[in-house]
Coordinates of all heavy atoms in Angstrom, one line a residue:
M16 N 75.8 92.2 47.0 CA 75.2 93.6 46.9 C 76.0 94.6 47.7 O 76.2 95.7 47.3 CB 73.8 93.6 47.3 CG 72.9 93.0 46.2 SD 71.1 93.2 46.6 CE 70.7 91.5 47.0
E17 N 76.5 94.1 48.9 CA 77.3 95.0 49.7 C 78.6 95.4 48.9 O 79.1 96.5 49.1 CB 77.6 94.4 51.0 CG 76.4 94.3 51.9 CD 76.7 93.6 53.2 OE1 77.7 92.8 53.3 OE2 76.0 93.8 54.2
R18 N 79.2 94.5 48.2 CA 80.4 94.7 47.4 C 80.1 95.8 46.3 O 80.9 96.6 46.0 CB 80.9 93.5 46.8 CG 81.5 92.6 47.9 CD 82.1 91.4 47.2 NE 82.5 90.4 48.3 CZ 82.7 89.1 48.0 NH1 82.5 88.6 46.8 NH2 83.0 88.3 49.0
L19 N 78.9 95.7 45.7 CA 78.6 96.6 44.6 C 78.4 98.0 45.2 O 78.8 99.0 44.6 CB 77.3 96.2 44.0 CG 77.3 94.9 43.1 CD1 75.9 94.6 42.7 CD2 78.2 95.1 42.0
R20 N 77.9 98.1 46.4 CA 77.7 99.4 47.0 C 78.9 100.0 47.7 O 79.0 101.1 48.0 CB 76.6 99.4 48.0 CG 75.2 99.1 47.4 CD 74.1 99.2 48.5 NE 74.1 100.6 49.0 CZ 73.7 100.9 50.2 NH1 73.3 100.0 51.0 NH2 73.6 102.2 50.5
S21 N 79.8 99.1 48.1 CA 81.0 99.4 48.9 C 80.7 100.0 50.2 O 81.4 100.7 50.8 CB 81.9 100.5 48.1 OG 82.3 100.0 46.9
S22 N 79.5 99.5 50.7 CA 79.1 99.9 52.1 C 78.1 98.8 52.5 O 77.4 98.1 51.7 CB 78.4 101.3 52.1 OG 77.2 101.3 51.4
P23 N 77.9 98.6 53.8 CA 77.0 97.6 54.3 C 75.5 98.0 54.0 O 75.2 99.2 53.9 CB 77.3 97.5 55.8 CG 78.0 98.8 56.1 CD 78.7 99.3 54.9
L24 N 74.7 97.0 53.9 CA 73.3 97.2 53.7 C 72.6 97.5 55.0 O 73.2 97.3 56.1 CB 72.7 96.0 53.0 CG 73.2 95.7 51.6 CD1 72.7 94.4 51.1 CD2 72.7 96.9 50.6
H25 N 71.4 97.9 54.9 CA 70.6 98.2 56.1 C 70.4 96.9 57.0 O 70.4 95.8 56.5 CB 69.2 98.7 55.7 CG 68.5 99.4 56.8 ND1 67.7 98.7 57.7 CD2 68.4 100.7 57.2 CE1 67.1 99.6 58.5 NE2 67.6 100.8 58.3
A26 N 70.3 97.1 58.3 CA 70.2 96.0 59.2 C 69.0 95.2 59.0 O 68.9 93.9 59.3 CB 70.3 96.5 60.7
N27 N 67.9 95.8 58.5 CA 66.6 95.1 58.3 C 66.8 94.0 57.3 O 66.1 93.0 57.3 CB 65.5 96.0 57.9 CG 65.1 96.9 59.1 OD1 65.4 96.6 60.2 ND2 64.3 97.9 58.7
I28 N 67.7 94.2 56.3 CA 67.9 93.2 55.3 C 68.5 91.9 55.9 O 67.9 90.8 55.6 CB 68.8 93.7 54.2 CG1 68.1 94.9 53.5 CG2 69.2 92.7 53.2 CD1 69.0 95.7 52.6
S29 N 69.5 92.0 56.7 CA 70.0 90.8 57.3 C 69.1 90.2 58.3 O 69.0 88.9 58.4 CB 71.4 91.1 57.9 OG 71.2 92.0 59.0
T30 N 68.3 91.0 59.0 CA 67.3 90.5 59.9 C 66.2 89.6 59.1 O 65.8 88.6 59.6 CB 66.6 91.6 60.7 OG1 67.6 92.4 61.3 CG2 65.6 91.1 61.6
A31 N 65.8 90.2 58.0 CA 64.8 89.5 57.2 C 65.3 88.2 56.7 O 64.6 87.1 56.7 CB 64.3 90.3 56.1
L32 N 66.6 88.2 56.3 CA 67.2 86.9 55.8 C 67.3 85.9 56.9 O 67.1 84.7 56.7 CB 68.5 87.2 55.1 CG 68.5 87.9 53.8 CD1 69.9 88.4 53.4 CD2 67.9 87.0 52.7
D33 N 67.7 86.4 58.1 CA 67.8 85.5 59.2 C 66.5 84.9 59.6 O 66.3 83.7 59.9 CB 68.4 86.2 60.4 CG 69.9 86.5 60.3 OD1 70.5 85.9 59.4 OD2 70.3 87.4 61.0
K34 N 65.4 85.7 59.6 CA 64.1 85.2 59.9 C 63.6 84.2 58.9 O 62.9 83.2 59.2 CB 63.1 86.3 60.1 CG 63.3 87.1 61.3 CD 62.2 88.2 61.5 CE 62.5 89.0 62.8 NZ 61.5 90.0 63.0
H35 N 63.9 84.4 57.6 CA 63.5 83.5 56.6 C 64.2 82.1 56.8 O 63.6 81.1 56.7 CB 63.9 84.1 55.2 CG 63.4 83.3 54.1 ND1 64.3 82.5 53.3 CD2 62.2 83.1 53.6 CE1 63.6 81.9 52.3 NE2 62.3 82.2 52.5
L36 N 65.5 82.2 57.1 CA 66.3 80.9 57.3 C 65.7 80.2 58.5 O 65.6 79.0 58.5 CB 67.7 81.2 57.5 CG 68.7 80.0 57.7 CD1 68.6 79.1 56.5 CD2 70.1 80.5 58.0
E37 N 65.4 80.9 59.6 CA 64.8 80.3 60.8 C 63.4 79.7 60.4 O 63.1 78.6 60.9 CB 64.6 81.4 61.8 CG 64.0 80.9 63.1 CD 63.8 82.0 64.1 OE1 64.5 83.0 64.1 OE2 62.8 81.8 65.0
A38 N 62.6 80.3 59.6 CA 61.3 79.8 59.2 C 61.5 78.5 58.4 O 60.8 77.5 58.6 CB 60.5 80.8 58.4
I39 N 62.5 78.4 57.6 CA 62.9 77.2 56.8 C 63.2 76.1 57.8 O 62.7 75.0 57.6 CB 64.0 77.5 55.8 CG1 63.5 78.4 54.7 CG2 64.5 76.2 55.3 CD1 64.6 78.9 53.8
H40 N 64.0 76.4 58.8 CA 64.4 75.3 59.7 C 63.2 74.8 60.5 O 63.1 73.6 60.8 CB 65.5 75.9 60.7 CG 66.8 76.0 60.0 ND1 67.5 75.1 59.3 CD2 67.6 77.1 59.9 CE1 68.6 75.5 58.9 NE2 68.7 76.8 59.2
V41 N 62.3 75.7 60.9 CA 61.1 75.3 61.6 C 60.2 74.4 60.8 O 59.7 73.4 61.2 CB 60.3 76.6 62.1 CG1 58.9 76.2 62.6 CG2 61.1 77.3 63.1
V42 N 60.0 74.8 59.5 CA 59.3 73.9 58.6 C 59.9 72.5 58.4 O 59.2 71.5 58.5 CB 59.1 74.6 57.2 CG1 58.5 73.6 56.2 CG2 58.1 75.8 57.3
Q43 N 61.2 72.5 58.3 CA 61.9 71.2 58.2 C 61.7 70.4 59.5 O 61.5 69.2 59.4 CB 63.4 71.5 58.0 CG 63.7 71.9 56.6 CD 65.2 72.3 56.4 OE1 65.9 72.5 57.4 NE2 65.6 72.3 55.2
A44 N 61.8 71.0 60.6 CA 61.6 70.3 61.9 C 60.1 69.7 62.0 O 59.9 68.6 62.4 CB 61.9 71.2 63.1
R45 N 59.2 70.6 61.6 CA 57.7 70.1 61.7 C 57.5 69.0 60.7 O 56.7 68.1 60.9 CB 56.8 71.3 61.4 CG 56.9 72.4 62.4 CD 56.5 72.0 63.8 NE 56.7 73.0 64.7 CZ 57.7 73.1 65.6 NH1 58.6 72.2 65.6 NH2 57.9 74.1 66.4
R46 N 58.1 69.1 59.5 CA 57.9 68.0 58.5 C 58.5 66.7 59.0 O 57.9 65.6 58.8 CB 58.6 68.5 57.2 CG 58.5 67.5 56.1 CD 57.0 67.3 55.6 NE 57.0 66.4 54.5 CZ 56.2 65.3 54.5 NH1 55.4 65.1 55.4 NH2 56.3 64.5 53.5
K47 N 59.7 66.8 59.7 CA 60.3 65.6 60.3 C 59.4 65.0 61.3 O 59.2 63.8 61.4 CB 61.6 65.9 60.9 CG 62.7 66.1 59.8 CD 64.0 66.4 60.5 CE 65.1 66.8 59.5 NZ 66.4 67.2 60.1
D48 N 58.8 65.9 62.2 CA 57.8 65.4 63.2 C 56.6 64.7 62.5 O 56.1 63.7 63.0 CB 57.3 66.6 64.0 CG 58.4 67.2 64.9 OD1 59.4 66.5 65.1 OD2 58.2 68.3 65.4
E49 N 56.1 65.3 61.4 CA 55.0 64.7 60.7 C 55.4 63.3 60.2 O 54.6 62.3 60.2 CB 54.6 65.6 59.6 CG 53.3 65.0 58.8 CD 53.0 65.8 57.6 OE1 53.9 66.4 57.0 OE2 51.9 65.7 57.1
I50 N 56.6 63.2 59.6 CA 57.0 61.9 59.1 C 57.1 60.8 60.2 O 56.7 59.7 60.0 CB 58.3 62.1 58.3 CG1 58.1 62.9 57.0 CG2 59.0 60.7 58.0 CD1 59.4 63.3 56.3
V51 N 57.7 61.2 61.3 CA 57.9 60.3 62.4 C 56.5 59.9 62.9 O 56.3 58.7 63.2 CB 58.7 60.9 63.5 CG1 58.6 60.2 64.8 CG2 60.2 61.1 63.1
N52 N 55.6 60.8 63.0 CA 54.3 60.5 63.5 C 53.5 59.6 62.6 O 52.8 58.7 63.0 CB 53.5 61.8 63.7 CG 52.2 61.6 64.4 OD1 52.0 60.6 65.1 ND2 51.2 62.5 64.3
A53 N 53.7 59.8 61.3 CA 53.0 59.0 60.3 C 53.5 57.6 60.3 O 52.8 56.6 60.2 CB 53.1 59.6 58.9
S54 N 54.8 57.4 60.5 CA 55.4 56.1 60.5 C 55.1 55.4 61.8 O 54.8 54.2 61.8 CB 56.9 56.1 60.3 OG 57.5 56.8 61.4
S55 N 55.0 56.1 62.9 CA 54.6 55.4 64.2 C 53.1 55.1 64.2 O 52.7 54.1 64.8 CB 55.0 56.3 65.4 OG 54.2 57.4 65.4
R56 N 52.3 55.9 63.5 CA 50.9 55.6 63.4 C 50.6 54.3 62.7 O 49.7 53.6 63.0 CB 50.2 56.8 62.7 CG 48.6 56.7 62.7 CD 48.0 57.9 62.1 NE 48.7 58.2 60.9 CZ 48.1 58.7 59.8 NH1 46.9 58.9 59.8 NH2 48.8 58.9 58.7
Q57 N 51.4 54.1 61.6 CA 51.2 52.8 60.8 C 51.5 51.6 61.7 O 50.9 50.6 61.5 CB 52.1 52.8 59.6 CG 51.6 53.8 58.6 CD 52.6 53.9 57.4 OE1 53.6 53.3 57.4 NE2 52.1 54.6 56.3
R58 N 52.4 51.7 62.6 CA 52.7 50.6 63.5 C 51.8 50.4 64.6 O 51.5 49.2 65.0 CB 54.2 50.8 64.0 CG 55.2 50.5 63.0 CD 56.6 50.6 63.6 NE 57.1 51.9 63.2 CZ 58.0 52.6 63.8 NH1 58.5 52.2 65.0 NH2 58.5 53.8 63.3
H59 N 51.3 51.5 65.2 CA 50.5 51.3 66.5 C 49.1 51.7 66.4 O 48.4 51.8 67.4 CB 51.2 52.2 67.5 CG 52.6 51.9 67.8 ND1 53.0 50.7 68.3 CD2 53.7 52.6 67.6 CE1 54.4 50.7 68.4 NE2 54.8 51.9 68.0
G60 N 48.6 52.0 65.2 CA 47.2 52.4 65.1 C 47.1 53.9 65.1 O 48.0 54.6 65.3
P61 N 45.9 54.4 64.8 CA 45.7 55.8 64.5 C 45.4 56.6 65.8 O 44.2 56.7 66.2 CB 44.5 55.8 63.5 CG 43.7 54.6 63.9 CD 44.7 53.6 64.4
P62 N 46.3 57.3 66.4 CA 46.0 58.3 67.4 C 45.7 59.7 66.7 O 46.5 60.4 66.4 CB 47.3 58.4 68.2 CG 48.4 58.1 67.3 CD 47.8 57.1 66.3
R63 N 44.4 59.9 66.5 CA 44.0 61.1 65.7 C 44.3 62.4 66.2 O 44.8 63.3 65.5 CB 42.4 61.0 65.5 CG 42.0 59.9 64.6 CD 42.4 60.1 63.2 NE 41.8 61.3 62.6 CZ 42.2 61.7 61.4 NH1 43.0 61.1 60.6 NH2 41.6 62.8 60.9
C64 N 44.2 62.6 67.5 CA 44.4 63.9 68.1 C 45.9 64.4 68.0 O 46.2 65.5 67.6 CB 44.1 63.9 69.6 SG 44.1 65.5 70.4
Q65 N 46.8 63.5 68.2 CA 48.2 63.8 68.1 C 48.6 64.1 66.6 O 49.3 65.1 66.3 CB 49.1 62.7 68.6 CG 50.6 62.9 68.4 CD 51.1 64.0 69.4 OE1 50.4 64.4 70.3 NE2 52.2 64.6 69.1
D66 N 48.0 63.3 65.7 CA 48.2 63.5 64.3 C 47.7 64.9 63.8 O 48.4 65.6 63.1 CB 47.5 62.4 63.5 CG 47.9 62.5 62.0 OD1 49.0 62.8 61.7 OD2 47.0 62.2 61.2
E67 N 46.6 65.3 64.3 CA 46.0 66.6 63.9 C 46.9 67.8 64.5 O 47.1 68.8 63.8 CB 44.6 66.7 64.4 CG 43.6 65.8 63.7 CD 42.2 65.8 64.3 OE1 42.0 66.5 65.3 OE2 41.4 65.2 63.8
R68 N 47.4 67.6 65.7 CA 48.3 68.6 66.2 C 49.6 68.8 65.4 O 50.1 69.9 65.2 CB 48.7 68.3 67.7 CG 47.6 68.7 68.6 CD 48.1 68.6 70.0 NE 47.2 67.7 70.7 CZ 47.5 66.8 71.5 NH1 48.8 66.6 71.9 NH2 46.6 66.0 72.1
V69 N 50.1 67.7 64.9 CA 51.4 67.7 64.1 C 51.1 68.4 62.8 O 51.9 69.2 62.4 CB 51.9 66.3 64.0 CG1 53.1 66.3 63.0 CG2 52.4 65.7 65.3
V70 N 50.0 68.1 62.2 CA 49.7 68.7 60.9 C 49.4 70.1 61.1 O 49.8 71.0 60.2 CB 48.5 67.9 60.2 CG1 48.0 68.6 59.0 CG2 48.9 66.5 59.9
L71 N 48.7 70.5 62.1 CA 48.4 71.9 62.4 C 49.7 72.7 62.6 O 49.8 73.8 62.2 CB 47.5 72.0 63.6 CG 47.0 73.5 63.9 CD1 46.3 74.1 62.8 CD2 46.1 73.5 65.2
A72 N 50.6 72.1 63.4 CA 51.9 72.8 63.6 C 52.7 73.0 62.3 O 53.3 74.0 62.1 CB 52.8 72.0 64.6
L73 N 52.6 72.0 61.4 CA 53.2 72.1 60.1 C 52.5 73.2 59.3 O 53.2 74.1 58.6 CB 53.2 70.8 59.3 CG 53.7 70.8 57.9 CD1 55.2 71.2 57.9 CD2 53.5 69.5 57.2
A74 N 51.2 73.3 59.3 CA 50.5 74.4 58.6 C 50.9 75.8 59.1 O 51.1 76.7 58.4 CB 49.0 74.1 58.7
V75 N 51.0 75.9 60.5 CA 51.4 77.2 61.0 C 52.8 77.6 60.6 O 53.1 78.7 60.3 CB 51.3 77.1 62.6 CG1 51.9 78.3 63.2 CG2 49.8 77.0 63.0
A76 N 53.7 76.6 60.6 CA 55.1 76.8 60.2 C 55.1 77.2 58.7 O 55.9 78.1 58.3 CB 55.9 75.6 60.4
L77 N 54.3 76.6 57.9 CA 54.3 76.9 56.4 C 53.7 78.3 56.2 O 54.2 79.1 55.3 CB 53.4 75.9 55.7 CG 54.1 74.6 55.4 CD1 53.1 73.6 54.8 CD2 55.3 74.8 54.4
R78 N 52.8 78.7 57.0 CA 52.2 80.1 56.9 C 53.3 81.1 57.3 O 53.4 82.1 56.6 CB 51.0 80.2 57.8 CG 50.4 81.6 57.8 CD 49.2 81.7 58.6 NE 48.5 83.0 58.4 CZ 47.7 83.6 59.2 NH1 47.4 82.9 60.3 NH2 47.2 84.7 59.0
A79 N 54.0 80.8 58.4 CA 55.1 81.7 58.8 C 56.2 81.8 57.7 O 56.8 82.9 57.4 CB 55.7 81.3 60.1
L80 N 56.5 80.7 57.1 CA 57.5 80.6 56.0 C 57.0 81.5 54.8 O 57.8 82.2 54.2 CB 57.8 79.2 55.5 CG 58.8 79.1 54.4 CD1 60.1 79.6 54.7 CD2 58.9 77.6 54.0
C81 N 55.7 81.4 54.5 CA 55.2 82.1 53.4 C 55.3 83.6 53.6 O 55.7 84.4 52.7 CB 53.7 81.7 53.2 SG 52.9 82.6 51.8
Q82 N 55.0 84.0 54.8 CA 55.1 85.5 55.2 C 56.5 85.9 55.2 O 56.9 87.0 54.7 CB 54.5 85.7 56.6 CG 53.0 85.5 56.6 CD 52.4 85.6 58.0 OE1 53.1 85.4 59.0 NE2 51.1 85.8 58.1
A83 N 57.4 85.1 55.7 CA 58.9 85.4 55.7 C 59.4 85.5 54.2 O 60.2 86.4 53.9 CB 59.7 84.4 56.5
T84 N 58.9 84.6 53.4 CA 59.4 84.6 52.0 C 58.9 85.9 51.3 O 59.7 86.5 50.5 CB 58.8 83.4 51.2 OG1 59.3 82.2 51.9 CG2 59.3 83.4 49.8
R85 N 57.7 86.3 51.5 CA 57.2 87.5 50.9 C 58.1 88.7 51.4 O 58.5 89.6 50.6 CB 55.8 87.8 51.2 CG 54.8 87.1 50.3 CD 53.4 87.6 50.5 NE 52.6 86.4 50.7 CZ 51.8 86.2 51.8 NH1 51.8 87.0 52.8 NH2 51.1 85.1 51.9
K86 N 58.3 88.8 52.7 CA 59.1 89.9 53.2 C 60.5 89.9 52.7 O 61.1 90.9 52.3 CB 59.1 89.8 54.7 CG 59.8 91.0 55.3 CD 59.6 91.1 56.8 CE 60.2 92.4 57.3 NZ 59.9 92.7 58.7
V87 N 61.2 88.7 52.6 CA 62.6 88.7 52.1 C 62.6 89.0 50.7 O 63.6 89.6 50.2 CB 63.2 87.3 52.5 CG1 62.9 86.2 51.5 CG2 64.7 87.5 52.7
R88 N 61.6 88.6 49.9 CA 61.7 89.0 48.5 C 61.6 90.5 48.3 O 62.3 91.1 47.5 CB 60.5 88.4 47.7 CG 60.7 86.9 47.4 CD 59.6 86.3 46.5 NE 58.6 87.2 46.1 CZ 57.3 86.8 46.0 NH1 56.9 85.6 46.3 NH2 56.4 87.6 45.6
T89 N 60.8 91.2 49.1 CA 60.7 92.6 49.0 C 61.9 93.3 49.5 O 62.4 94.2 48.8 CB 59.5 93.1 49.9 OG1 58.3 92.5 49.4 CG2 59.3 94.6 49.8
V90 N 62.5 92.8 50.6 CA 63.7 93.3 51.1 C 64.9 93.2 50.1 O 65.7 94.1 49.9 CB 64.1 92.7 52.5 CG1 65.5 92.9 52.9 CG2 63.1 93.2 53.5
L91 N 65.0 92.0 49.5 CA 66.0 91.8 48.5 C 65.8 92.7 47.2 O 66.8 93.1 46.7 CB 66.1 90.3 48.1 CG 66.7 89.4 49.2 CD1 66.6 88.0 48.7 CD2 68.1 89.8 49.5
W92 N 64.6 92.9 46.9 CA 64.4 93.8 45.7 C 64.8 95.2 46.1 O 65.5 95.9 45.3 CB 62.9 93.8 45.4 CG 62.6 94.7 44.2 CD1 62.7 94.4 42.9 CD2 62.1 96.0 44.2 NE1 62.3 95.4 42.1 CE2 62.0 96.5 42.9 CE3 61.8 96.9 45.3 CZ2 61.5 97.7 42.6 CZ3 61.3 98.1 45.0 CH2 61.2 98.6 43.7
C93 N 64.5 95.6 47.3 CA 64.9 97.0 47.8 C 66.5 97.1 47.8 O 67.1 98.1 47.4 CB 64.4 97.3 49.1 SG 62.6 97.5 49.1
A94 N 67.1 96.0 48.3 CA 68.6 96.0 48.4 C 69.2 96.1 46.9 O 70.2 96.7 46.7 CB 69.1 94.8 49.1
F95 N 68.5 95.3 46.0 CA 69.0 95.4 44.7 C 68.9 96.8 44.1 O 69.8 97.3 43.4 CB 68.2 94.4 43.8 CG 68.5 94.4 42.4 CD1 69.7 94.0 41.9 CD2 67.5 94.8 41.5 CE1 70.0 94.1 40.5 CE2 67.8 94.9 40.1 CZ 69.0 94.6 39.6
Q96 N 67.7 97.4 44.3 CA 67.5 98.8 43.8 C 68.5 99.7 44.4 O 69.0 100.6 43.7 CB 66.1 99.2 44.1 CG 65.0 98.4 43.4 CD 65.1 98.6 41.9 OE1 65.3 99.7 41.4 NE2 65.0 97.5 41.2
M97 N 68.9 99.5 45.7 CA 69.9 100.4 46.3 C 71.3 100.2 45.7 O 72.1 101.1 45.8 CB 69.9 100.2 47.8 CG 68.6 100.8 48.5 SD 68.7 100.8 50.3 CE 69.2 99.1 50.7
S98 N 71.5 99.0 45.3 CA 72.9 98.7 44.8 C 73.1 99.0 43.3 O 74.2 99.0 42.8 CB 73.2 97.2 45.0 OG 72.3 96.4 44.3
L99 N 72.0 99.4 42.6 CA 72.1 99.8 41.2 C 72.9 101.1 41.1 O 72.7 102.0 41.9 CB 70.8 99.9 40.5 CG 70.1 98.5 40.3 CD1 68.7 98.8 39.7 CD2 70.8 97.7 39.3
P100 N 73.6 101.3 40.0 CA 74.3 102.6 39.8 C 73.3 103.7 39.5 O 72.2 103.4 38.9 CB 75.2 102.4 38.7 CG 74.7 101.2 38.0 CD 74.0 100.4 39.0
K101 N 73.6 104.9 39.9 CA 72.6 106.0 39.8 C 72.8 106.7 38.5 O 73.8 106.7 37.8 CB 72.8 107.0 40.9 CG 72.4 106.4 42.2 CD 72.5 107.3 43.3 CE 72.1 106.6 44.6 NZ 72.2 107.2 45.8

């Protein structure tokens, strides 16, 4: 889109994209934690409190990803509108 406009886009656009990518990485890390916790639970018995914390952390990360996705969709739509010819 920057090439279409021949000028850089607003700084908020790249910030929103960076936050979205960061949220994706956090969700991936929480999901890995959940998988590790689930596999260790099968071997050693059910520690319920730790399992609930891992699932809650994943839920919080997914909520943040959902919010970041909504924001980045809006920002990209605005960037697209700015890059259209007048």
Side-chain angles (χ1 to χ4, degrees):
M16 284 187 250
E17 289 176 338
R18 290 183 189 159
L19 292 173
R20 292 186 66 208
S21 301
S22 65
L24 295 171
H25 196 272
N27 288 346
I28 295 170
S29 61
T30 302
L32 289 168
D33 291 340
K34 287 183 180 182
H35 186 252
L36 183 61
E37 181 182 331
I39 290 170
H40 290 304
V41 170
V42 168
Q43 288 175 338
R45 297 299 173 257
R46 181 66 178 128
K47 286 179 187 175
D48 293 344
E49 183 191 23
I50 290 170
V51 167
N52 190 23
S54 66
S55 67
R56 184 177 47 142
Q57 288 176 350
R58 284 183 255 154
H59 302 297
R63 290 294 297 174
C64 187
Q65 180 68 18
D66 187 38
E67 291 173 358
R68 279 190 237 137
V69 171
V70 172
L71 183 60
L73 178 61
V75 169
L77 283 171
R78 181 177 185 201
L80 177 61
C81 182
Q82 291 171 343
T84 301
R85 276 192 232 121
K86 185 170 185 169
V87 84
R88 279 186 4 217
T89 302
V90 164
L91 287 175
W92 181 83
C93 292
F95 173 68
Q96 294 298 316
M97 289 190 307
S98 64
L99 289 175
K101 295 180 180 175

